[in-house]
Amino acid sequence: MAGKLAVVLSGGGAKGAFQVGVLDQLITRRKVRVDIAVGTSTGSIQALAVAEDDLPKLIRLWTEIKGNDDIYRKRSGAFIAIINGKPSLYDASPLRALLDKNVDEARLRGTGKSLRVGVVNLTTGEFQSVGENAPNIAQFVYASCAMPFAFEPLTTKAANGTIEQWVDGGVRDVTPIDTALDFNPRGVLVIRASAPPRPTDPKRYKSLVSVGLRAVDILQSEVSRND
C-alpha cells in the first residue's frame, strides 16, 4: 500500500454531511484518487462510499434523510426504557435498515480500495478496525455509529462462541489517523466533521437523559481535542 493516498473521516454525527461535500469536491470534481478510506462513527458511512467508489449513492443517502425519524425512533420513555432494561435510549433500526440498503459488498470488494471502519469492543474497551472483507460490513458501519446510551450496541458471536458487543469507534478514536498510517501511504487527507470545540453558553442539564448524553459528549469532545 506504500505510495497510495488515504483519507480519514472523523466522527461528528449529522455534521458528516460536511464530509460528503468535501469528498464530492475532491474526488468527483478534482479527480483525486483515494485508495484507502478510514472512518469512525458518521465518518465510517462516508468511508464506505469512498471504498465502494460510489459518491452519488452517498449523496442520495444524505439528501433523502428528512429528519430524526429516518435515523432513529424514540422509545416509549427514558424511564420506562431504563426500568425495562433496554440497551439504549433510542431504537436505531431505521439507521440499520438504511445502511443495509446502501451497502454493496460485491462492489466494495471489487474496487481494489481498502476500507477500515473503527469500532470499540464494549467488553475490553479496545479500539479495532474492520476491513472491506468482513462479512456483513453494514453491521459494523452501524456499530461504528452506535453511540453508547443513545444507540444499541452491535452484538456478534466470535468463532469460539464468545458473545461480543461493539459500539461507536469515537469512544476511543474520533479521528483514526494511526489506522491510515498503518498502510504506509504517501499522504493522508483528514476531513474532520467537527470544528475545534468552543466555549458554550451555560446550560442546565435537568433530566437523567440529558445528563447522560452530555457526559458522553464530553468524553468524545476530549478525544476530539486530542486529535
Side-chain angles (χ1 to χ4, degrees):
M1 289 296 174
K4 295 189 175 183
L5 184 65
V7 63
V8 174
L9 298 137
S10 77
K15 296 173 186 175
F18 165 76
Q19 295 173 329
V20 179
V22 176
L23 289 169
D24 187 44
Q25 180 65 221
L26 287 173
I27 297 173
T28 306
R29 301 175 186 276
R30 297 178 180 265
K31 309 301 180 184
V32 175
R33 176 175 173 81
V34 175
D35 306 288
I36 304 157
V38 181
T40 289
S41 197
T42 186
S44 68
I45 300 174
Q46 281 65 264
L48 174 68
V50 172
E52 280 192 5
D53 199 18
D54 197 347
L55 287 187
K57 182 169 67 175
L58 177 67
I59 293 171
R60 288 196 302 273
L61 182 154
W62 275 91
T63 55
E64 288 175 0
I65 295 174
K66 304 304 180 184
N68 292 339
D69 288 345
D70 293 321
I71 301 298
Y72 63 83
R73 300 189 186 100
K74 292 183 178 180
R75 299 193 189 275
S76 56
F79 180 75
I80 294 175
I82 293 169
I83 293 298
N84 291 337
K86 297 293 184 182
S88 62
L89 181 62
Y90 303 116
D91 173 8
S93 55
L95 173 60
R96 301 181 83 153
L98 186 66
L99 293 172
D100 284 337
K101 183 178 75 172
N102 282 278
V103 172
D104 185 340
E105 292 191 359
R107 177 172 180 137
L108 173 63
R109 293 165 188 162
T111 62
K113 299 179 185 292
S114 296
L115 171 68
R116 292 295 183 271
V117 171
V119 293
V120 168
N121 186 304
L122 194 57
T123 300
T124 66
E126 294 299 318
F127 179 91
Q128 294 187 35
S129 59
V130 179
E132 68 278 359
N133 292 317
N136 300 316
I137 188 65
Q139 293 188 41
F140 284 98
V141 174
Y142 163 75
S144 188
C145 299
M147 184 174 71
F149 190 75
F151 291 169
E152 178 179 357
L154 169 68
T155 301
T156 62
K157 182 182 289 187
N160 63 3
T162 302
I163 299 298
E164 297 179 308
Q165 292 177 291
W166 307 92
V167 296
D168 189 342
V171 172
R172 297 284 295 189
D173 198 344
V174 175
T175 314
I177 299 172
D178 287 345
T179 301
L181 293 177
D182 287 341
F183 286 92
N184 191 26
R186 77 170 188 271
V188 178
L189 303 176
V190 179
I191 307 174
R192 296 191 62 211
S194 297
R198 295 180 178 179
T200 58
D201 294 331
K203 178 182 177 180
R204 288 192 65 190
Y205 299 90
K206 300 179 181 179
S207 69
L208 173 65
V209 172
S210 65
V211 171
L213 290 175
R214 177 57 180 154
V216 172
D217 181 58
I218 290 171
L219 290 173
Q220 291 193 321
S221 294
E222 178 64 25
V223 177
S224 183
R225 277 196 294 269
N226 290 337
D227 291 341

